[in-house]
Amino acid sequence: MPFTILLTGFGPFPGAPTNPTGPLVRELARRRHPAFAGVRRIAHVFATSYDAVDRELPLLLARERPDALLMFGTRATRQPHSYRNPRAQCD
């Protein structure tokens, strides 16, 4: 079975009428590159709400059974630095 990565992004929201994370995850799932050989990539774009993530993410995880989950997000205000979530869970 190939290594599976679930890539998630979000749709637009007030302050970000064009959220770049949706197109980003679609492109990462579509892109062909030797480094991705044998890697199954699944893109999913959530509606921008906690309810959508709470409802859809457990279903995606159960259906796709990914080996890795990479979630992209953005915020409405631009800052001179990037933010990385300091929490990670490894099984």
PDB file of all heavy atoms in Angstrom, residues 1-8 40-44 56-69:
ATOM      1  N   MET A   1       0.846  -1.179   0.000  1.00  0.00           N
ATOM      2  CA  MET A   1       0.000   0.000   0.000  1.00  0.00           C
ATOM      3  C   MET A   1       0.893   1.244   0.000  1.00  0.00           C
ATOM      4  O   MET A   1       1.857   1.316   0.746  1.00  0.00           O
ATOM      5  CB  MET A   1      -0.911  -0.009   1.234  1.00  0.00           C
ATOM      6  CG  MET A   1      -1.910   1.119   1.216  1.00  0.00           C
ATOM      7  SD  MET A   1      -3.025   1.185   2.641  1.00  0.00           S
ATOM      8  CE  MET A   1      -4.007  -0.253   2.349  1.00  0.00           C
ATOM      9  N   PRO A   2       0.575   2.251  -0.834  1.00  0.00           N
ATOM     10  CA  PRO A   2       1.425   3.443  -0.892  1.00  0.00           C
ATOM     11  C   PRO A   2       1.296   4.296   0.367  1.00  0.00           C
ATOM     12  O   PRO A   2       0.293   4.249   1.073  1.00  0.00           O
ATOM     13  CB  PRO A   2       0.898   4.197  -2.106  1.00  0.00           C
ATOM     14  CG  PRO A   2      -0.515   3.761  -2.251  1.00  0.00           C
ATOM     15  CD  PRO A   2      -0.550   2.330  -1.751  1.00  0.00           C
ATOM     16  N   PHE A   3       2.324   5.082   0.619  1.00  0.00           N
ATOM     17  CA  PHE A   3       2.298   6.075   1.685  1.00  0.00           C
ATOM     18  C   PHE A   3       1.250   7.119   1.294  1.00  0.00           C
ATOM     19  O   PHE A   3       1.244   7.598   0.160  1.00  0.00           O
ATOM     20  CB  PHE A   3       3.680   6.716   1.821  1.00  0.00           C
ATOM     21  CG  PHE A   3       3.814   7.634   2.991  1.00  0.00           C
ATOM     22  CD1 PHE A   3       4.113   7.136   4.247  1.00  0.00           C
ATOM     23  CD2 PHE A   3       3.646   8.997   2.839  1.00  0.00           C
ATOM     24  CE1 PHE A   3       4.243   7.981   5.345  1.00  0.00           C
ATOM     25  CE2 PHE A   3       3.768   9.853   3.921  1.00  0.00           C
ATOM     26  CZ  PHE A   3       4.070   9.339   5.176  1.00  0.00           C
ATOM     27  N   THR A   4       0.369   7.471   2.209  1.00  0.00           N
ATOM     28  CA  THR A   4      -0.729   8.391   1.906  1.00  0.00           C
ATOM     29  C   THR A   4      -0.601   9.652   2.747  1.00  0.00           C
ATOM     30  O   THR A   4      -0.417   9.585   3.952  1.00  0.00           O
ATOM     31  CB  THR A   4      -2.083   7.719   2.198  1.00  0.00           C
ATOM     32  OG1 THR A   4      -2.206   6.561   1.373  1.00  0.00           O
ATOM     33  CG2 THR A   4      -3.240   8.655   1.914  1.00  0.00           C
ATOM     34  N   ILE A   5      -0.721  10.801   2.054  1.00  0.00           N
ATOM     35  CA  ILE A   5      -0.707  12.104   2.712  1.00  0.00           C
ATOM     36  C   ILE A   5      -2.037  12.794   2.435  1.00  0.00           C
ATOM     37  O   ILE A   5      -2.453  12.915   1.278  1.00  0.00           O
ATOM     38  CB  ILE A   5       0.440  12.996   2.205  1.00  0.00           C
ATOM     39  CG1 ILE A   5       1.785  12.334   2.437  1.00  0.00           C
ATOM     40  CG2 ILE A   5       0.391  14.371   2.871  1.00  0.00           C
ATOM     41  CD1 ILE A   5       2.949  13.086   1.812  1.00  0.00           C
ATOM     42  N   LEU A   6      -2.699  13.236   3.492  1.00  0.00           N
ATOM     43  CA  LEU A   6      -3.915  14.034   3.361  1.00  0.00           C
ATOM     44  C   LEU A   6      -3.514  15.494   3.512  1.00  0.00           C
ATOM     45  O   LEU A   6      -2.938  15.889   4.530  1.00  0.00           O
ATOM     46  CB  LEU A   6      -4.934  13.630   4.430  1.00  0.00           C
ATOM     47  CG  LEU A   6      -6.231  14.438   4.485  1.00  0.00           C
ATOM     48  CD1 LEU A   6      -6.985  14.392   3.164  1.00  0.00           C
ATOM     49  CD2 LEU A   6      -7.102  13.932   5.627  1.00  0.00           C
ATOM     50  N   LEU A   7      -3.785  16.291   2.475  1.00  0.00           N
ATOM     51  CA  LEU A   7      -3.450  17.711   2.444  1.00  0.00           C
ATOM     52  C   LEU A   7      -4.750  18.501   2.554  1.00  0.00           C
ATOM     53  O   LEU A   7      -5.672  18.280   1.774  1.00  0.00           O
ATOM     54  CB  LEU A   7      -2.780  18.067   1.119  1.00  0.00           C
ATOM     55  CG  LEU A   7      -1.558  17.240   0.742  1.00  0.00           C
ATOM     56  CD1 LEU A   7      -1.330  17.253  -0.750  1.00  0.00           C
ATOM     57  CD2 LEU A   7      -0.354  17.776   1.482  1.00  0.00           C
ATOM     58  N   THR A   8      -4.834  19.392   3.527  1.00  0.00           N
ATOM     59  CA  THR A   8      -6.068  20.164   3.676  1.00  0.00           C
ATOM     60  C   THR A   8      -5.797  21.653   3.639  1.00  0.00           C
ATOM     61  O   THR A   8      -4.743  22.136   4.064  1.00  0.00           O
ATOM     62  CB  THR A   8      -6.814  19.819   4.987  1.00  0.00           C
ATOM     63  OG1 THR A   8      -6.061  20.291   6.098  1.00  0.00           O
ATOM     64  CG2 THR A   8      -7.077  18.327   5.110  1.00  0.00           C
ATOM     65  N   ARG A  40       0.580   8.531  -2.343  1.00  0.00           N
ATOM     66  CA  ARG A  40      -0.810   8.875  -2.657  1.00  0.00           C
ATOM     67  C   ARG A  40      -1.126  10.175  -1.931  1.00  0.00           C
ATOM     68  O   ARG A  40      -0.962  10.271  -0.721  1.00  0.00           O
ATOM     69  CB  ARG A  40      -1.718   7.750  -2.169  1.00  0.00           C
ATOM     70  CG  ARG A  40      -3.172   7.955  -2.441  1.00  0.00           C
ATOM     71  CD  ARG A  40      -3.943   6.671  -2.058  1.00  0.00           C
ATOM     72  NE  ARG A  40      -5.333   6.957  -1.885  1.00  0.00           N
ATOM     73  CZ  ARG A  40      -5.987   6.911  -0.739  1.00  0.00           C
ATOM     74  NH1 ARG A  40      -5.370   6.542   0.370  1.00  0.00           N
ATOM     75  NH2 ARG A  40      -7.259   7.204  -0.681  1.00  0.00           N
ATOM     76  N   ARG A  41      -1.543  11.186  -2.674  1.00  0.00           N
ATOM     77  CA  ARG A  41      -1.834  12.497  -2.098  1.00  0.00           C
ATOM     78  C   ARG A  41      -3.300  12.828  -2.305  1.00  0.00           C
ATOM     79  O   ARG A  41      -3.797  12.745  -3.421  1.00  0.00           O
ATOM     80  CB  ARG A  41      -0.954  13.565  -2.745  1.00  0.00           C
ATOM     81  CG  ARG A  41       0.507  13.411  -2.343  1.00  0.00           C
ATOM     82  CD  ARG A  41       1.436  14.120  -3.289  1.00  0.00           C
ATOM     83  NE  ARG A  41       1.453  13.381  -4.544  1.00  0.00           N
ATOM     84  CZ  ARG A  41       1.596  13.950  -5.736  1.00  0.00           C
ATOM     85  NH1 ARG A  41       1.747  15.230  -5.840  1.00  0.00           N
ATOM     86  NH2 ARG A  41       1.602  13.213  -6.827  1.00  0.00           N
ATOM     87  N   ILE A  42      -3.969  13.193  -1.242  1.00  0.00           N
ATOM     88  CA  ILE A  42      -5.388  13.532  -1.276  1.00  0.00           C
ATOM     89  C   ILE A  42      -5.542  14.970  -0.818  1.00  0.00           C
ATOM     90  O   ILE A  42      -5.067  15.334   0.256  1.00  0.00           O
ATOM     91  CB  ILE A  42      -6.204  12.605  -0.355  1.00  0.00           C
ATOM     92  CG1 ILE A  42      -6.080  11.169  -0.824  1.00  0.00           C
ATOM     93  CG2 ILE A  42      -7.657  13.007  -0.309  1.00  0.00           C
ATOM     94  CD1 ILE A  42      -5.748  10.234   0.266  1.00  0.00           C
ATOM     95  N   ALA A  43      -6.214  15.791  -1.632  1.00  0.00           N
ATOM     96  CA  ALA A  43      -6.472  17.185  -1.275  1.00  0.00           C
ATOM     97  C   ALA A  43      -7.916  17.322  -0.819  1.00  0.00           C
ATOM     98  O   ALA A  43      -8.832  16.713  -1.394  1.00  0.00           O
ATOM     99  CB  ALA A  43      -6.224  18.088  -2.472  1.00  0.00           C
ATOM    100  N   HIS A  44      -8.115  18.126   0.219  1.00  0.00           N
ATOM    101  CA  HIS A  44      -9.466  18.444   0.676  1.00  0.00           C
ATOM    102  C   HIS A  44      -9.490  19.904   1.116  1.00  0.00           C
ATOM    103  O   HIS A  44      -8.597  20.352   1.830  1.00  0.00           O
ATOM    104  CB  HIS A  44      -9.874  17.547   1.850  1.00  0.00           C
ATOM    105  CG  HIS A  44     -11.264  17.814   2.306  1.00  0.00           C
ATOM    106  ND1 HIS A  44     -12.362  17.320   1.645  1.00  0.00           N
ATOM    107  CD2 HIS A  44     -11.739  18.554   3.334  1.00  0.00           C
ATOM    108  CE1 HIS A  44     -13.460  17.732   2.264  1.00  0.00           C
ATOM    109  NE2 HIS A  44     -13.110  18.485   3.290  1.00  0.00           N
ATOM    110  N   GLU A  56     -16.022  17.026   9.039  1.00  0.00           N
ATOM    111  CA  GLU A  56     -15.438  16.355   7.877  1.00  0.00           C
ATOM    112  C   GLU A  56     -14.116  15.651   8.162  1.00  0.00           C
ATOM    113  O   GLU A  56     -13.839  14.605   7.558  1.00  0.00           O
ATOM    114  CB  GLU A  56     -15.243  17.359   6.741  1.00  0.00           C
ATOM    115  CG  GLU A  56     -16.551  17.932   6.231  1.00  0.00           C
ATOM    116  CD  GLU A  56     -16.358  19.101   5.289  1.00  0.00           C
ATOM    117  OE1 GLU A  56     -15.260  19.229   4.686  1.00  0.00           O
ATOM    118  OE2 GLU A  56     -17.301  19.901   5.144  1.00  0.00           O
ATOM    119  N   LEU A  57     -13.296  16.197   9.041  1.00  0.00           N
ATOM    120  CA  LEU A  57     -11.976  15.601   9.255  1.00  0.00           C
ATOM    121  C   LEU A  57     -12.051  14.168   9.774  1.00  0.00           C
ATOM    122  O   LEU A  57     -11.352  13.295   9.238  1.00  0.00           O
ATOM    123  CB  LEU A  57     -11.118  16.481  10.171  1.00  0.00           C
ATOM    124  CG  LEU A  57      -9.684  15.992  10.381  1.00  0.00           C
ATOM    125  CD1 LEU A  57      -8.927  15.864   9.062  1.00  0.00           C
ATOM    126  CD2 LEU A  57      -8.952  16.942  11.324  1.00  0.00           C
ATOM    127  N   PRO A  58     -12.868  13.852  10.773  1.00  0.00           N
ATOM    128  CA  PRO A  58     -12.927  12.453  11.217  1.00  0.00           C
ATOM    129  C   PRO A  58     -13.350  11.493  10.100  1.00  0.00           C
ATOM    130  O   PRO A  58     -12.831  10.377  10.003  1.00  0.00           O
ATOM    131  CB  PRO A  58     -13.950  12.469  12.348  1.00  0.00           C
ATOM    132  CG  PRO A  58     -13.942  13.871  12.849  1.00  0.00           C
ATOM    133  CD  PRO A  58     -13.690  14.719  11.636  1.00  0.00           C
ATOM    134  N   LEU A  59     -14.268  11.938   9.239  1.00  0.00           N
ATOM    135  CA  LEU A  59     -14.704  11.102   8.117  1.00  0.00           C
ATOM    136  C   LEU A  59     -13.574  10.888   7.119  1.00  0.00           C
ATOM    137  O   LEU A  59     -13.378   9.773   6.617  1.00  0.00           O
ATOM    138  CB  LEU A  59     -15.913  11.732   7.428  1.00  0.00           C
ATOM    139  CG  LEU A  59     -17.167  11.897   8.292  1.00  0.00           C
ATOM    140  CD1 LEU A  59     -18.228  12.691   7.549  1.00  0.00           C
ATOM    141  CD2 LEU A  59     -17.693  10.542   8.718  1.00  0.00           C
ATOM    142  N   LEU A  60     -12.844  11.962   6.826  1.00  0.00           N
ATOM    143  CA  LEU A  60     -11.699  11.848   5.905  1.00  0.00           C
ATOM    144  C   LEU A  60     -10.638  10.902   6.464  1.00  0.00           C
ATOM    145  O   LEU A  60     -10.091  10.067   5.740  1.00  0.00           O
ATOM    146  CB  LEU A  60     -11.064  13.222   5.674  1.00  0.00           C
ATOM    147  CG  LEU A  60     -11.784  14.154   4.721  1.00  0.00           C
ATOM    148  CD1 LEU A  60     -11.242  15.573   4.877  1.00  0.00           C
ATOM    149  CD2 LEU A  60     -11.618  13.677   3.302  1.00  0.00           C
ATOM    150  N   LEU A  61     -10.328  11.052   7.735  1.00  0.00           N
ATOM    151  CA  LEU A  61      -9.314  10.193   8.351  1.00  0.00           C
ATOM    152  C   LEU A  61      -9.736   8.731   8.331  1.00  0.00           C
ATOM    153  O   LEU A  61      -8.924   7.843   8.040  1.00  0.00           O
ATOM    154  CB  LEU A  61      -9.023  10.653   9.774  1.00  0.00           C
ATOM    155  CG  LEU A  61      -8.369  12.030   9.915  1.00  0.00           C
ATOM    156  CD1 LEU A  61      -8.294  12.429  11.381  1.00  0.00           C
ATOM    157  CD2 LEU A  61      -6.998  12.053   9.267  1.00  0.00           C
ATOM    158  N   ALA A  62     -10.996   8.467   8.603  1.00  0.00           N
ATOM    159  CA  ALA A  62     -11.488   7.085   8.602  1.00  0.00           C
ATOM    160  C   ALA A  62     -11.506   6.505   7.192  1.00  0.00           C
ATOM    161  O   ALA A  62     -11.133   5.348   6.983  1.00  0.00           O
ATOM    162  CB  ALA A  62     -12.890   7.031   9.213  1.00  0.00           C
ATOM    163  N   ARG A  63     -11.912   7.304   6.218  1.00  0.00           N
ATOM    164  CA  ARG A  63     -12.015   6.812   4.842  1.00  0.00           C
ATOM    165  C   ARG A  63     -10.650   6.654   4.179  1.00  0.00           C
ATOM    166  O   ARG A  63     -10.371   5.644   3.543  1.00  0.00           O
ATOM    167  CB  ARG A  63     -12.883   7.763   4.017  1.00  0.00           C
ATOM    168  CG  ARG A  63     -13.112   7.258   2.586  1.00  0.00           C
ATOM    169  CD  ARG A  63     -13.953   8.214   1.777  1.00  0.00           C
ATOM    170  NE  ARG A  63     -13.185   9.406   1.493  1.00  0.00           N
ATOM    171  CZ  ARG A  63     -13.678  10.644   1.471  1.00  0.00           C
ATOM    172  NH1 ARG A  63     -14.949  10.858   1.735  1.00  0.00           N
ATOM    173  NH2 ARG A  63     -12.911  11.668   1.184  1.00  0.00           N
ATOM    174  N   GLU A  64      -9.773   7.629   4.325  1.00  0.00           N
ATOM    175  CA  GLU A  64      -8.493   7.641   3.602  1.00  0.00           C
ATOM    176  C   GLU A  64      -7.360   6.973   4.370  1.00  0.00           C
ATOM    177  O   GLU A  64      -6.380   6.563   3.779  1.00  0.00           O
ATOM    178  CB  GLU A  64      -8.106   9.074   3.242  1.00  0.00           C
ATOM    179  CG  GLU A  64      -9.153   9.815   2.439  1.00  0.00           C
ATOM    180  CD  GLU A  64      -9.444   9.183   1.079  1.00  0.00           C
ATOM    181  OE1 GLU A  64      -8.664   8.333   0.616  1.00  0.00           O
ATOM    182  OE2 GLU A  64     -10.470   9.548   0.483  1.00  0.00           O
ATOM    183  N   ARG A  65      -7.456   6.925   5.691  1.00  0.00           N
ATOM    184  CA  ARG A  65      -6.439   6.331   6.553  1.00  0.00           C
ATOM    185  C   ARG A  65      -5.025   6.820   6.186  1.00  0.00           C
ATOM    186  O   ARG A  65      -4.137   6.032   5.872  1.00  0.00           O
ATOM    187  CB  ARG A  65      -6.522   4.808   6.498  1.00  0.00           C
ATOM    188  CG  ARG A  65      -7.917   4.326   6.880  1.00  0.00           C
ATOM    189  CD  ARG A  65      -8.077   2.945   7.366  1.00  0.00           C
ATOM    190  NE  ARG A  65      -7.043   2.387   8.165  1.00  0.00           N
ATOM    191  CZ  ARG A  65      -6.946   2.485   9.494  1.00  0.00           C
ATOM    192  NH1 ARG A  65      -7.838   3.164  10.165  1.00  0.00           N
ATOM    193  NH2 ARG A  65      -5.972   1.907  10.148  1.00  0.00           N
ATOM    194  N   PRO A  66      -4.807   8.145   6.239  1.00  0.00           N
ATOM    195  CA  PRO A  66      -3.510   8.692   5.825  1.00  0.00           C
ATOM    196  C   PRO A  66      -2.392   8.349   6.809  1.00  0.00           C
ATOM    197  O   PRO A  66      -2.624   8.172   8.002  1.00  0.00           O
ATOM    198  CB  PRO A  66      -3.754  10.204   5.800  1.00  0.00           C
ATOM    199  CG  PRO A  66      -4.809  10.412   6.835  1.00  0.00           C
ATOM    200  CD  PRO A  66      -5.696   9.185   6.728  1.00  0.00           C
ATOM    201  N   ASP A  67      -1.187   8.265   6.274  1.00  0.00           N
ATOM    202  CA  ASP A  67       0.006   8.099   7.093  1.00  0.00           C
ATOM    203  C   ASP A  67       0.460   9.441   7.651  1.00  0.00           C
ATOM    204  O   ASP A  67       1.142   9.495   8.674  1.00  0.00           O
ATOM    205  CB  ASP A  67       1.130   7.481   6.264  1.00  0.00           C
ATOM    206  CG  ASP A  67       0.752   6.106   5.764  1.00  0.00           C
ATOM    207  OD1 ASP A  67       0.630   5.195   6.602  1.00  0.00           O
ATOM    208  OD2 ASP A  67       0.555   5.941   4.541  1.00  0.00           O
ATOM    209  N   ALA A  68       0.097  10.522   6.950  1.00  0.00           N
ATOM    210  CA  ALA A  68       0.463  11.875   7.386  1.00  0.00           C
ATOM    211  C   ALA A  68      -0.676  12.823   7.030  1.00  0.00           C
ATOM    212  O   ALA A  68      -1.376  12.632   6.033  1.00  0.00           O
ATOM    213  CB  ALA A  68       1.750  12.324   6.706  1.00  0.00           C
ATOM    214  N   LEU A  69      -0.835  13.828   7.861  1.00  0.00           N
ATOM    215  CA  LEU A  69      -1.846  14.867   7.655  1.00  0.00           C
ATOM    216  C   LEU A  69      -1.129  16.205   7.686  1.00  0.00           C
ATOM    217  O   LEU A  69      -0.426  16.526   8.646  1.00  0.00           O
ATOM    218  CB  LEU A  69      -2.896  14.810   8.775  1.00  0.00           C
ATOM    219  CG  LEU A  69      -3.880  15.965   8.879  1.00  0.00           C
ATOM    220  CD1 LEU A  69      -4.744  16.061   7.625  1.00  0.00           C
ATOM    221  CD2 LEU A  69      -4.744  15.804  10.127  1.00  0.00           C
TER     222      LEU A  69
END
